[in-house]
Amino acid sequence: MQHDKHQSATAVVAKVPGGKHPGAFKQPRVKLSTRQKIERAYRQYGFPLGFLALPVIIYAIFVISPFVQSIYYSFTDWTGLSSDFKMVGFKNYDWLLHDDLFWTAVGHNVLLLLVVPLVTLGLGLFFAFMLNVGGRSKKNAAVSGVRGSSIYKVVYFFPQVLSIAIVALLFQFTYNPRNGALNAFLGGIGLDSLQQEWLADPKLALWCLMVVMVWCNVGFYVVLFSAGMSAIPKDFYEAALLDGANRITTFFRITLPLLWDTVQTGWIYMGILALDAFAVVQIMTVGPGGPADSTQVLGYMVYTKTFRDGQAGRATAIGVAMLIVTLIFAVIVGRLGRRERLEY
């Protein structure tokens, strides 16, 4: 009898596809028609696709299309004014590789890329930390910012209200070697030996521009980092202070790790600004781009090749080179700054 039951059970299992237990039997799939597949896909993806269609089209027209056109024109001898041009292949890129001025501009941009983001973000983190955590403890809070922190935030953010053209003109007058405010101040306190030609000195001109770029942008990051620090629970700082940690330790052990994503994004953004630097070079420097090409940058080369020399094909090739450098920089920062995500 047991043998017969075993045979009947085996026979039932054998009828199930794959020899699985009868309880695991799956209903055969119903083959859908093309119309039914389209209707099901529309129910699943119709709303998001319809919602995103217009923004994607606008983005493709006004962002992607100019990039594609620039890459196309970089392989031509287009003057920028005439509609007649022809393909020249990699001739423009070969010119870039053998042009000394281009490599001089690349070197200046790399120097800006290394110095400006580091100094700007460093000052932004320091000031934001002092405004939020670096003050003396109060009666109701063990951790607080310095006195008058709300006023300092407005003062630091003030340069963001001004146009970069206005800022460049103000600093141009400040750096004036004859009647500028900087040399006048140095002379007034008896430091005549430190008075310089500033923008007229090839060794100092680029560093003077860096000061302007840092001054313009540090206030924005003070406010940005302050917003991030205000979201960090004060319990973390209080626990660290109770364990005997000082301000420096709390900054590197608590504040910086929890703000790392914001810092990394700011680093990429500042790097993009440093790779441009067109406005300050155009307005402040001699030439512009001088003296002796000491402030020449890629952004200004694009401008001169297009509007002064009538070589838009070469200008777009420089623009493509800037795009490549920017992407490489963003990838490097993303790779080097990758770390485990901290949540609180």
Side-chain angles (χ1 to χ4, degrees):
M1 178 67 74
Q2 293 180 355
H3 180 70
D4 296 339
K5 290 181 179 180
H6 178 71
Q7 285 185 341
S8 61
T10 305
V12 172
V13 173
K15 294 179 181 179
V16 179
K20 297 182 179 180
H21 191 272
F25 179 76
K26 296 182 179 180
Q27 295 290 337
R29 290 186 177 183
V30 179
K31 189 174 182 180
L32 299 177
S33 63
T34 304
R35 181 178 178 180
Q36 290 175 326
K37 291 180 180 180
I38 295 175
E39 290 178 352
R40 187 172 66 175
Y42 177 78
R43 287 194 299 268
Q44 292 179 349
Y45 307 108
F47 177 76
L49 290 177
F51 186 78
L52 295 175
L54 183 60
V56 169
I57 292 173
I58 295 175
Y59 184 83
I61 293 175
F62 293 101
V63 179
I64 302 299
S65 177
F67 278 107
V68 175
Q69 292 181 35
S70 297
I71 295 173
Y72 170 74
Y73 286 130
S74 67
F75 293 100
T76 68
D77 61 352
W78 185 41
T79 62
L81 301 174
S82 174
S83 59
D84 298 329
F85 56 87
K86 61 182 179 180
M87 299 294 295
V88 295
F90 289 92
K91 186 176 180 180
N92 292 330
Y93 293 98
D94 181 70
W95 166 79
L96 286 183
L97 295 176
H98 297 87
D99 185 71
D100 295 335
L101 184 59
F102 170 76
W103 290 110
T104 300
V106 170
H108 294 159
N109 275 112
V110 171
L111 183 60
L112 291 172
L113 194 62
L114 295 176
V115 175
V116 174
L118 180 63
V119 176
T120 303
L121 298 181
L123 290 175
L125 282 170
F126 172 75
F127 290 136
F129 185 78
M130 294 301 296
L131 294 179
N132 291 271
V133 187
R136 295 181 178 179
S137 59
K138 298 180 180 179
K139 294 181 179 180
N140 299 328
V143 178
S144 63
V146 297
R147 182 175 298 179
S149 58
S150 58
I151 299 176
Y152 288 131
K153 290 179 184 179
V154 175
V155 174
Y156 289 142
F157 192 76
F158 177 73
Q160 289 290 313
V161 181
L162 301 176
S163 169
I164 184 62
I166 297 175
V167 172
L169 287 174
L170 289 175
F171 273 90
Q172 187 183 42
F173 295 141
T174 302
Y175 285 130
N176 191 299
R178 292 188 176 86
N179 52 11
L182 183 54
N183 277 350
F185 173 76
L186 293 174
I189 60 176
L191 297 177
D192 297 23
S193 60
L194 296 180
Q195 293 179 341
Q196 303 290 336
E197 294 293 328
W198 304 117
L199 293 176
D201 189 343
K203 296 180 180 179
L204 297 176
L206 188 61
W207 295 98
C208 292
L209 299 186
M210 293 183 191
V211 172
V212 178
M213 297 176 68
V214 170
W215 187 84
C216 286
N217 294 283
V218 69
F220 172 78
Y221 290 100
V222 170
V223 176
L224 179 65
F225 294 147
S226 295
M229 291 179 190
S230 63
I232 299 176
K234 299 297 183 182
D235 298 342
F236 291 179
Y237 294 107
E238 294 175 358
L241 293 176
L242 290 175
D243 289 338
N246 55 26
R247 301 295 183 186
I248 298 177
T249 303
T250 56
F251 175 77
F252 285 103
R253 296 289 185 177
I254 298 175
T255 304
L256 187 58
L258 293 176
L259 281 180
W260 187 251
D261 289 342
T262 305
V263 173
Q264 186 176 4
T265 303
W267 198 288
I268 295 175
Y269 180 69
M270 278 304 304
I272 294 173
L273 290 180
L275 285 171
D276 183 14
F278 166 76
V280 291
V281 171
Q282 168 68 13
I283 297 172
M284 294 181 61
T285 61
V286 181
D293 295 324
S294 61
T295 57
Q296 189 67 247
V297 292
L298 293 176
Y300 185 71
M301 279 194 69
V302 173
Y303 172 80
T304 55
K305 287 297 176 183
T306 303
F307 298 102
R308 187 191 67 184
D309 301 336
Q311 299 176 346
R314 291 185 174 182
T316 52
I318 299 173
V320 173
M322 291 179 62
L323 172 63
I324 295 173
V325 173
T326 303
L327 293 177
I328 293 174
F329 170 76
V331 171
I332 292 175
V333 172
R335 293 284 185 179
L336 295 179
R338 182 178 296 175
R339 57 191 300 170
E340 293 183 3
R341 185 177 180 83
L342 298 175
E343 297 182 356
Y344 54 91

